[in-house]
Structures are given as structure tokens and as C-alpha cells.
Amino acid sequence: MENRNTLNRLSQGIIIALGLGGASFVAAQEEADNSAEPVEQISVVGSRIRTDSFANDTPIDIISVEDAEGEGLKTLGELLRTSTAAAGSSQITAALTVGYVTDGGTGAETVGLRGLGANRTLILLNGRRAGPAGTRGAVSSFDLNSLPLSAIERVEILKDGASALYGSDAVAGVINIITKKGDEKTVNVDISQPMESGGEDRRINISFGEEYAEGSFRVTADYRKVSMLRRGDRDYFNCTERLQFAADGSRADPIDPRTGDYHCSETGYGLWLYGGVSSAYGGSLQAAYDYDNFFANNGYESINDANVGFTTPEGWYPVSFNDDYASEGWWDLNHPFLAAQTVVPETQNASLYATGEYNLTDDVVIYGEFIHSRRTTKTDDYRQFWTADVGTLSTDVLDGFDGDGFIFPVALTDHFSSEIQVDYTRGVVGATGDIGFWTWDLSYQYSHNDGKYEQDIIYYDAMLMAQINAATGGSCSGEVTEYSGNTCVDIPWTDPEFLYGNRTPAQESFLFGRDYGQTTYDQQTLEGYVTGDLFTLPAGEVGAAFGFQIQKDEIEDTPGENTLNGNSWGLSGAGITAGDQLTKAIYAEVKVPLLEDVTGFERLDLTASGRWNDVDTYGSDTTFKLGLNWSIVDGVSVRASRGTSFRAPALYELYLAEQTGFAGQLAIDPCLDYVNQFNAGAISDTVFANCQAEGIPADYEQGGSSALLVTSGGVGRLEAETSVAEGIGLVLTSPEDTYAFSIDYFNIEISNEIDNLGGGDIVSRCYNSIDFANEPLCDLFTRRDGSDANDFGIDQVNGGYVNISYQRVRGVDYNFTYDEEFDWGNVRFRVEHTMQIEKFGLLFEDSPYNNEVGENGVPKHVGVARLTYGKDDWSVTWTASYFDSTNDYEYYSSETNTTTLNGETVTFIDETKWTTYHALSGSFVYEDFDFTVGVANMFDKEPPQLSRSGFELGNSALFSQYDFIGRRVFANVKYNF
């Protein structure tokens, strides 16, 4: 039986004609004599119809694992991020899940095309859906860690909406992962060694395949370990400086007198002082303990020596107070916990992948796939904790303190680590065959995700007991906490060692614990289709495909016991998220050759597809797509498409139980210090008037504890998203396929987009309302009454998933390939480039227009260029990945890089310069061994540095486009047996 998966010379022509920038694997195929072989029909992602056409009506990228090996890429996620359809926006990587709440949980890696999110990009594995994986309630996407790169041959990326064929989620495009087949037998050892310690990557795998008369099979076993990268491992992560500059270009940052260098502005600890003592120093006063006797040895004035009507135990010094800017630098915030904080988590992946097929008869083949993977991810972090529930402490109840003032102790702890284990299993069984001129396929897929997550926590009941005792001057006398069941221990809130993180075992046992949660996600899919020729027209055969799909999704996330009962202090709380969804669909596709060999029309093909969907949590809907491919003359063609898509709400968007998070008052409350903000032009007349109408006093200038943000699912109120995707492109190819060029314009518009209406949006919309008294969003949050230290801050905001108004992305993709064989060797040059024109979303119909292109994380231009020279058994490859400059200055009141500091105008940095990363590698074949060695980030380029703007680590821009590891050597040794 003829193998339909073989790529002969014809399929090479198809790929080049599509203008694919990443089709290096094609050049490695042997040339075939087309006249000596029958024309083979193949199918690629984006169509169910097998065709011998030399083009397609939608742009497709094909990226080979060969590219990954030449660039030092180690994971499927890294490989997919080389596509400019993904590189134009920041993606979810393992590093970006540390310290942030992301879909899929800590350590998960996902990819979303066109900046529209992973839940709008469909992932297929060998043409069939790959079920979601991860932890916590917001699991909806395939975790790219689940499949080892060693099992993959290539990836096809359809950069166009395709819901008419593939159903929900295929809004921004489709990624089809093609695994290896054949009888190759290899052992692979792969390493990536940074020039500095941290982030080391090791992998070993064995792959065994056999082909025989009745079929074939292949098994790949893979193990990978990534060492943790900590902030202290890289200078550009280890200290957050202000990065402010005076008019003459000199630095305006305060100086740390201990080092003579600029101050590290990191997480604070010590005593916050209020009342008369704070006023004596101009306000905003903190007290730092003299742990190393630096203050005493260098003549600094302690609070006791200042005669300000307030006394402390010996060793406390004033720092970071309002009327002395230099005092900000006196506060030593470069704590040892900082250097140990995780940037890239420690990760271990073990996986087994198997695939096979058996020729049951001459016309029927049965096949199967199986994958099981286990990912373990570990992180370390540190955090503050304080007397938030009782507020400031009076000197009347604290030994050694006296006078006019109140004390707010803030301590640090490194009891903030986490561990995640994700077991993912997926199996596929199916059959395919021929009936006359028609080919059929029927398959069943089942995937099961079992994610377990552990998190260090601080017990809320213990914290409350400890705070009440502190506020009343009481002492423990055998009390037992309500939920954790711990016997009370006296907590010395103002003890310098306690605040620094040096606590007794008894104190830690009383306050600290660990929470354990579990997430399961099951997906079952039954799918079948037939494809073949309907009849013949003068221009050729009319091809068609008809199919059905039935899919069942189920999720259950059970957070840890303390998270469920609200006994985890200062962290997100959540209930049990549970729900299921049944989707049924039928679809059809037809390809009609309209013209052939007519002047101006070498060939003209029309493709049409439609799909009827029924989702039990939403209802039914239909989608369609039309595509046109016009070959004008040999080597010149135009392609165009227009289609509709829909996305039913994901399970977590429907059923997410109440999750809680926190936001600082400065970030969320427009009424904080609103009088001065209005005088400085930072808020509008409307906001000022509404804050006054709320009864918030003018002297509310100091934000209190964080606001509680509550997020819940939208079952009963959510509708499905709908979208329209349009594209038109030009493809040029040379007669001998030496070069190919394509340019494609894309436009995707989403209506009724599902989004999380966050606390900042709710509060901002409320106070910007011209009908403030009747604004319904104002009912979604509460304020404090000012009874505690003049605290009128936002207390709780109730948000969740809603249908918002509109989102649109537009841009242009460019691809160029050159491949030619000379007597002195083969030269291949490829460039893939995307220019983003527009990306904006409207939360409400009257929301102001804001084009995000050019902002940090959304560069206007992104691209990758690859040049390979090869001869006989060796080759050399150079790769350059580049990203345009960006900035976020439009979000500041001045809309420039200037602000006022101590009455002087200073500049700051919230922009990234044009950034290019280079990689160079060489490969060589010797007998049964293949060797590859190279250098990634060859010039050791650091991530762009930002002033403190809220999305950086240290001063490094925290976006997936940038390299966090630094220069590294990579090597791969493959033994073929």
C-alpha cells in the first residue's frame, strides 16, 4: 500500500510555493523524478482535502526540528516562539509563571498566535486535538512540556482562523505537531551550558522505530532536567534600581552608602511608623534595624537620638522618609532572600511517546498513539507579612517603645516555595482506509491530566491569633487555632531577628504550613471524515471532505484545604472549580477548480467550508470559510480567504469558583491622594468630582493594605465569541524553486470577546463615569470607612468573566527563502518577518481607542533570519532573531519619559531598544554519529533594562521575546544504531 505521508518532490514544490520561511527539512529530501512516479495527493493543516495543487489559499509556516537543533532550542515551546506569528506578543513560559497567576499554573508553557491568547489557538497532534494540561482552575490549553522535542519531526502553523474545519479555539490559527515515523534508531544526548551558573539544561532520549510489510511503530523515551536559575545568578536580575536621570544625564537614584552604588529598591521589611514621629520626618517614615552596626559606626542619628518625642529599643534608625531623599538609600533592601528567588524554575520532564500503524487489509490501516509524561516543577520565593488584620500597634502594648507614634511591623520569610507535578496521558486509536476513490478516517482520542500542586502558606488563623495578642498586649495561654489546630506561640512582632526572617522552629511551626491541591482535566473526542473527488470539471477534479466530531470535556480543580476555607493568609483563595461540556459538530469542505490554462489564469481554485456546532453550555452556531487561490502565471499567484469563527466559553471561564487575589492601593485606587493627583494633572475633573462625591477626605494620602480581588466564572451570563478572519497574499516562486517570496495581509476581528473584568477596570470605569450615582460597576466594590489610620482604601472588588465589546489585530507577514546547490556546497537563506499594524480591544463600546502595537511586549516588527552553508557531511548555520523597539510612555501623565522628583524634572526608562539575538552552530556526520555544537545568544545580550515600571525583574524587561539565560554553549550527540 502506498505511504501517503511520504514527501516527494511534488510536496516540496507545494511547501516552497506557500512561501514558507521554515521549510529547511525539504531541502534535505532526495530529488525525485516526477515523470517516473505517480502524482501523490497529500494534506496539510487547514484542509481535509488531499490535493496535488501547488499552493493553498491560506499561509502556512512549517518549522522543522532541524532548525531547533541549529539554534540551541530545547523545547517545543521555544521552537514555536520562533514563529513570528507568536513572537509578536509575550507568551506564557515557565519563567513567566513564577510570581504570577497564569492559565495552566506554575511551570506550564503555552503559545498563542497573533497575541490573542493560548485559548484562541488550537493545538493538534498529528491532526487531532491535544487535550489541555496543567494545574489550578484555569486549565484550557495543551502544556507544551508534555511532548518532547525529540519525538517531533516538524510543526505546521496555519496563520488564519479555521473554526469552520476544526471548531472552537481555532480563532487565531492552528498549530499541528507532526511526530517522527520511520525505522530510525537513535540515542541522543543534549546539553545547554550557560557561561554563568544557573539554567543548565540536560536531556537524554532513545528512539526506536521499525518498518515492516504490515506496518510500522516508533517509541521514544525522553528525560530532561533544567536547573533552577535564581536572581542572584545574574547581575541584571539581582537588584532593582530606580534608573532615573537628571537633566545632565547623570543618575538621580539615591546611593546606598554601604556599597557606594545605586540603591536596590526591593521588598521592604522593618517598622513602618505613623503619627507624630512620622510627621517629624516629613511623613512616610520607616525604621530599619542596624544589623551590621553600619549606622552606629558611621555616625547616623538614631530615632532615640533625634529627640522627636518617640523612643525605641536601641538600634533603630529612620530610613526612606519624605524630607530627605538620600534616606531612601540608607535602607538595606538587598536581603539574602532576594538572591535565592526563582527566575527559571527547576524542572524535570520524563516522557514516553509511542505511535504505530498496522495494515489490516490492503485498504484499511489501523493506527494508535500513546503519550505519558510527568513534569515536576519547583520554585523558591520570599514574601512579606504584617499585622494587616489589626493595623498599627500602639506603643502602650510594646516593650521598649514609647511616645507619639504607631507601629506597623513588616516581616520577611522565604517560606514561599512551591512544587507542581503534572501527569499527562493521551491515547489515540483509529483506522483509515480507501473506498474506491474516497479516503476515510475514524479516530477516538482520550487525554487525562492529573496535576498536583503544593504551596507554602501562612495560616490565617495563626496570624489572626498572633495579631490580636500583639494588639491587646496579651500572651498565649494554650489557645489552639480554629482550622490549622496549632497551639499558640507568642510572636515578637518588633523583634529585629523575627522581622529579618530568623525565627525559632516553634514560631515557624505555629505560623507556617503547606497546602495541597489537585486538578484533573479529561477530554474525549470521537471524530471521523471522508475525503475524495466528487466529479470532474474542465479545470480538474472537485474535491470534498465531510466529517463529524463529538467532544466531551470535564474539569475538576480542588484547591488545598486551607485555600478552600480561607485559611491561607495573603494568598489567592479559591473554591472547587468543576464542570463539563459536550460539543457536537458536523462539517463539510469542497474545493472547486474554476479555471485552468486560460490567459491570466494558469489556475483558479475556490475552497469553501462550513461547520455546524452544538455546545451544551452555549447552544448551536454555524461558521464558514471561503478561500481563493489564483495562479496567474507560472511562479506568480494570489491567495485570499475570509472566514468566521466562534469560541464557546472554556470550562474555567464558566465554572471558575471564586478566586481571590490582591492589588496595592496605588495600582487600583484613583482616589488615593486625589487632590494632589488632580493638581498635578494625573486625574481628570470627573474622577476628582466623583471621589469628592464619595465623601473621601482630601487628606487620604497614604494607602493601606491591599485590596481583595475576587474573580469567578460566568456560567449563565457568558455567550460565545464570534470572529471574522480575512487575508490576502501574493506568492512568487522561481521556475527551479531556487527562491520563493510571499507577502500576506491578515485581519482578525473578535466580537463578544470573553475576558476577565479585573479590579482595575471596574474601579476606573466607576470613577470615570459621568453618571456616577447610577453607575452599576460602582456596586462591584467596597471601601473602608477610614476608622483605622485614615484608611479609605478599596476593600474588595468582585470581578469575573464577561463578554466585552471588541478586539482586532491586523498585520503583514513576509517570507523569503533561497536554496541553491553549487559545486562548492549548498546555500540556504530564509527570512520570516511580521509587521504588526494594529492590536486593540474595547472593554466597552465607548472605551477609548488604544493601539497596543509598539508597546512593551508587542513590537511592531519581529523576525528571524537563518543562513546555512553545507557540503557533504557538515554544515554551518547562523540564526538571528530580532525584535523592534517598544515603549509604554503613553500610560504616564506626561506621555513622555519625564517625571518630577524632589521638585526637579528627571527622566526614566520604560522602553526597549531594537534587540537581536544571534546563534551560530555547526553539525558533522561521522559514521554512525551526528554531532552538533553551537553558541546561543552569541554576544551575551542582556534583556532590555527598564526603570521600575511594574513588569520587570531586577531591571530586566519581563517579556518572552527576551533571553533570560545569557550566552550558552549547546551540543548534541546522536548515535544511530
Side-chain angles (χ1 to χ4, degrees), residues 469-486:
N469 284 340
T472 61
S475 179
C476 290
S477 54
E479 300 99 331
V480 176
T481 55
E482 180 179 3
Y483 297 110
S484 55
N486 294 335

Side-chain angles (χ1 to χ4, degrees), residues 9 16 31 634 733-739 819-820:
R9 183 62 181 172
I16 293 175
E31 291 194 16
D634 187 24
T733 60
S734 65
E736 300 299 325
D737 294 334
T738 302
Y739 69 83
D819 190 341
E820 189 160 8

